């Protein structure tokens, strides 16, 4: 029997519903396939549980990775994105050597919007396309990091942002029969426990400042809102955990909840939860270094 592609059912449901989002869905599909290549897990740097409280594990990481697979994946992602005309300058810039795949990969994994925008401007585009594509480009590496680093996440992690990559949660999940509230990261698939009454973004705990917008329909989906920071997180009820690689897709399938929140004047955070520094460097340098010693 043919093996179903990862996320296949969700992707086809989305493709049917959101025809205008096809280049994005093709990109996500490519990223899901890319995650299965061993190069990403082989390049995850060793980390120690962080001594500094509140520091995501990605913070300060140096990723040594073969440039070939990075170049191939960045080219592929840009070519797919290039099916939408807005991304064409990037595919050309890569082909002509004006845009360095490793630099783009590094900025994408760190999720550094200023650097991504600088790279975009350098090739004559100021529409923020690289920010969007960068999210997907980083996914295979970040998911590999999550898989390797899960045992290092402190059980008492109490921050609103992801303990692996530092991004804000994409979703909250009310899980299982005991109704734990978990926060989920769409970039790395991260999964961490949180309190019921706590805004992930500003830490507000006062029930008088926290509320829910309940959507109509059979699914148990709500939008948790905070009156202090006026930000929101979508909350889905799930008996079993959403698979890490599906969190990004679940975000897309619940756009109606975003509309509900935005119409009432709430927003998602603009900046990343905790900025992190990441260095990506060609792994062959290690070999050269050994040869010269
Ligand atoms: Zn994350
Ligand atoms: Zn808040």
């Amino acid at each position: 029997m043919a093996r179903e592609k990862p996320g296949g059912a969700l992707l086809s449901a989305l493709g049917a519903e959101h025809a205008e989002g096809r280049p994005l869905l093709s990109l996500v599909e490519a990223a899901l396939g890319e995650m299965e290549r061993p190069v990403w897990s082989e390049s995850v740097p060793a980390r120690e549980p962080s001594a500094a409280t509140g520091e995501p594990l990605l913070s300060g990481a140096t990723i040594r990775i073969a440039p070939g697979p990075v170049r191939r994946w960045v080219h592929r992602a840009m070519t797919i994105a290039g099916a939408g005309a807005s991304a064409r300058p990037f595919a050309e810039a890569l082909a002509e050597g004006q845009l360095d795949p490793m630099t783009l990969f590094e900025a994408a994994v760190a999720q550094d919007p200023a650097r991504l925008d600088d790279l975009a401007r350098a090739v004559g585009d100021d529409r923020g396309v690289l920010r969007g594509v960068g999210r997907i480009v980083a996914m295979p590496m970040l998911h590999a990091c999550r898989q390797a680093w899960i045992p290092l996440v402190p059980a008492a992690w109490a921050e609103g942002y992801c303990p692996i990559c530092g991004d804000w949660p994409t979703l909250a999940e009310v899980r299982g029969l005991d109704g734990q509230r978990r926060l989920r990261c769409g970039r790395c698939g991260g999964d961490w426990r949180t309190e019921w009454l706590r805004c992930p973004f500003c830490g507000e705990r006062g029930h008088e400042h926290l509320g829910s917008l309940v959507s109509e329909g059979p699914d148990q989906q709500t939008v948790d809102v905070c009156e202090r920071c006026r930000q929101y997180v979508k909350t889905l009820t799930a008996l079993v955990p959403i698979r890490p690689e599906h969190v990004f897709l679940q975000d897309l399938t619940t756009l109606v909840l975003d509309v509900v929140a935005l119409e009432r004047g709430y927003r998602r955070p603009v900046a990343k939860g905790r900025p992190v520094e990441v260095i990506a460097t060609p792994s062959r340098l290690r070999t050269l270094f050994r040869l010269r010693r």
Side-chain angles (χ1 to χ4, degrees), residues 222-281:
T222 63
V223 182
D224 291 336
V225 298
C226 172
E227 297 305 336
R228 181 165 137 203
C229 68
R230 299 288 294 170
Q231 298 182 106
Y232 73 92
V233 63
K234 298 185 285 189
T235 299
L236 313 184
T237 299
L239 275 179
V240 291
I242 298 169
R243 291 173 57 147
E245 63 274 25
H246 290 176
V247 177
F248 188 95
L249 291 171
Q250 285 291 351
D251 186 26
L252 299 180
T253 61
T254 49
L255 284 178
V256 63
L257 296 178
D258 295 278
V259 174
V260 168
L262 294 167
E263 278 178 353
R264 286 163 178 77
Y266 300 97
R267 60 187 170 81
R268 287 194 190 211
V270 179
K272 187 174 175 176
R274 178 81 162 224
V276 296
E277 298 268 341
V278 176
I279 295 171
T281 185

Side-chain angles (χ1 to χ4, degrees), residues 5-76:
K5 279 195 235 166
L10 262 177
L11 278 163
S12 40
L14 273 166
E17 278 180 36
H18 303 283
E20 71 284 2
R22 287 245 168 81
L24 174 61
L25 295 182
S26 304
L27 261 176
V28 176
E29 187 171 21
L32 292 176
E34 188 66 35
M35 280 176 206
E36 305 203 335
R37 289 179 189 267
V39 60
W40 311 107
S41 54
E42 288 166 3
S43 309
V44 173
R47 306 299 281 167
E48 299 284 327
S50 175
T53 50
E55 204 61 64
L57 285 156
L58 185 63
S59 178
T62 297
I63 298 168
R64 298 182 197 283
I65 189 165
V70 172
R71 194 183 315 122
R72 183 189 44 70
W73 166 230
V74 167
H75 271 268
R76 174 130 188 267

Side-chain angles (χ1 to χ4, degrees), residues 162 165 185 188:
C162 175
C165 76
C185 174
C188 74

Side-chain angles (χ1 to χ4, degrees), residues 48-126:
E48 299 284 327
S50 175
T53 50
E55 204 61 64
L57 285 156
L58 185 63
S59 178
T62 297
I63 298 168
R64 298 182 197 283
I65 189 165
V70 172
R71 194 183 315 122
R72 183 189 44 70
W73 166 230
V74 167
H75 271 268
R76 174 130 188 267
M78 285 301 175
T79 305
I80 296 168
S86 57
R88 197 157 293 138
F90 299 112
E92 285 167 13
L94 282 166
E96 291 162 12
Q98 299 164 311
L99 187 58
D100 173 41
M102 193 64 96
T103 306
L104 171 55
F105 171 75
E106 182 180 276
V109 170
Q111 195 191 4
D112 184 335
R115 278 185 73 199
L116 288 171
D117 289 351
D118 283 349
L119 291 172
R121 269 193 297 275
V123 297
D125 193 290
D126 55 6

